[in-house]
Amino acid sequence: GYNNFYEFTTDKELVRHPLIIGKFVTDPWQVEVTGLCEKPFKIDPQQLIADIGLEERVYRFRCVERWSMIVPWSGFTLRKIIEKAVPKRTAKYVKFVTAMIPKQMPGIARLPAYPWPYTEGLTMAEALHDLTFVATGIYGKPLPKQNGAPIRLVVPWKYGYKSIKSIVKIEFTAKQPKTLWETLSPEEYPFESNVDPGVPHPRWPQNIERLIGTGIQIRTQKYNGYAQVAPLYK
Ligand code: MTE
């Protein structure tokens, strides 16, 4: 009930309203896995679930706006998708793209200066890390549309905006992809975007976070507490 999904609205509590998200068709759906790989493919997320199976991951989720939550996701590691595609050696990054359907997404026309579609990216090493997850469900049920149905990314040691929703394309690239937020404001939303209490955002310090719905504030931890990713950044 508290979502960021700017293709629909910037009002976090309105996103799930049927008049806002009701027209969004998330089934059937196709995700294209393409770019620098030996075996590109297109697949319905339901088929991915059937092929790979689901596991549940309970992760911290930390937004750069300084709110956070503990979320039980279901899905599978991104690595499972990457292995199916067999990336070439020249593939150094993975680019992700959200659907762009202005007729179903009323927020797009309201933000004409935004470089739609919503795009995100990871290095190949980040994408292959065991914590990097593709979610198709939340709280044991399929993802609601406002949370990025039918398939979204979850990267728990990075700020929430890296966790791109309603993915239609996953592309292996040689060059670092430009993301929507980095294009809009590189100082505020750099490509890497690891949670780090020691690096303040230009508008807000990042050492404290507010647990949604509790009134409790806690100290933010480096890598959002996922210290096991530190070797990626040596
Ligand atoms: N993905 C798309 N396509 N559009 C968005 O506006 N917002 C991001 C991220 N993924 C966003 C997106 C931001 S800023 C956050 S904090 C999370 O989604 C919010 O995920 P949630 O609504 O499931 O909590």
Side-chain angles (χ1 to χ4, degrees):
Y2 186 88
N3 299 104
N4 275 338
F5 205 165
Y6 278 23
E7 287 88 333
F8 294 91
T9 169
T10 53
D11 183 320
K12 298 180 202 309
E13 277 157 45
L14 268 188
V15 182
R16 66 173 165 164
H17 195 285
L19 283 176
I20 304 285
I21 203 138
K23 281 193 194 151
F24 186 32
V25 180
T26 58
D27 182 21
W29 191 272
Q30 291 266 293
V31 189
E32 183 183 10
V33 182
T34 184
L36 300 171
C37 60
E38 305 293 347
K39 296 185 177 170
F41 58 92
K42 272 190 188 170
I43 198 163
D44 189 303
Q46 291 306 319
Q47 190 58 48
L48 273 177
I49 294 173
D51 292 354
I52 300 172
L54 292 176
E55 61 174 298
E56 190 168 64
R57 296 272 179 108
V58 181
Y59 277 164
R60 296 161 174 274
F61 189 89
R62 170 64 157 80
C63 179
V64 74
E65 295 163 345
R66 297 186 298 180
W67 51 262
S68 66
M69 236 182 129
I70 309 286
V71 184
W73 303 103
S74 35
F76 32 82
T77 56
L78 177 63
R79 192 176 53 229
K80 294 267 164 79
I81 297 184
I82 296 177
E83 283 168 355
K84 264 180 181 286
V86 192
K88 295 185 176 163
R89 280 197 187 170
T90 46
K92 301 289 180 222
Y93 294 89
V94 187
K95 175 181 169 185
F96 304 85
V97 184
T98 294
M100 183 183 167
I101 317 169
K103 281 195 177 149
Q104 296 178 18
M105 299 172 151
I108 289 184
R110 297 225 175 125
L111 296 168
Y114 276 44
W116 305 110
Y118 197 104
T119 304
E120 260 305 339
L122 297 172
T123 65
M124 189 59 103
E126 290 172 336
L128 287 168
H129 196 279
D130 187 53
L131 285 176
T132 304
F133 203 61
V134 172
T136 56
I138 188 168
Y139 295 104
K141 299 191 182 126
L143 281 176
K145 293 178 184 179
Q146 64 269 25
N147 289 99
I151 188 163
R152 70 173 289 170
L153 187 67
V154 183
V155 192
W157 72 94
K158 294 184 182 278
Y159 291 116
Y161 57 89
K162 298 296 283 186
S163 294
I164 182 171
K165 297 179 171 181
S166 305
I167 298 169
V168 287
K169 189 153 113 180
I170 300 175
E171 184 180 351
F172 302 101
T173 65
K175 282 197 184 149
Q176 185 175 301
K178 271 275 178 199
T179 75
L180 175 135
W181 288 113
E182 196 197 3
T183 307
L184 280 171
S185 184
E187 279 95 63
E188 296 188 73
Y189 310 105
F191 182 83
E192 190 172 272
S193 295
N194 292 333
V195 174
D196 190 342
V199 178
H201 179 278
R203 283 184 278 158
W204 317 290
Q206 289 295 346
N207 54 333
I208 298 279
E209 66 201 59
R210 172 176 59 85
L211 288 169
I212 293 181
T214 67
I216 297 170
Q217 297 209 341
I218 59 167
R219 286 194 180 282
T220 291
Q221 296 178 53
K222 186 156 169 119
Y223 302 123
N224 204 19
Y226 298 97
Q228 63 267 53
V229 300
L232 291 175
Y233 305 102
K234 269 186 182 152

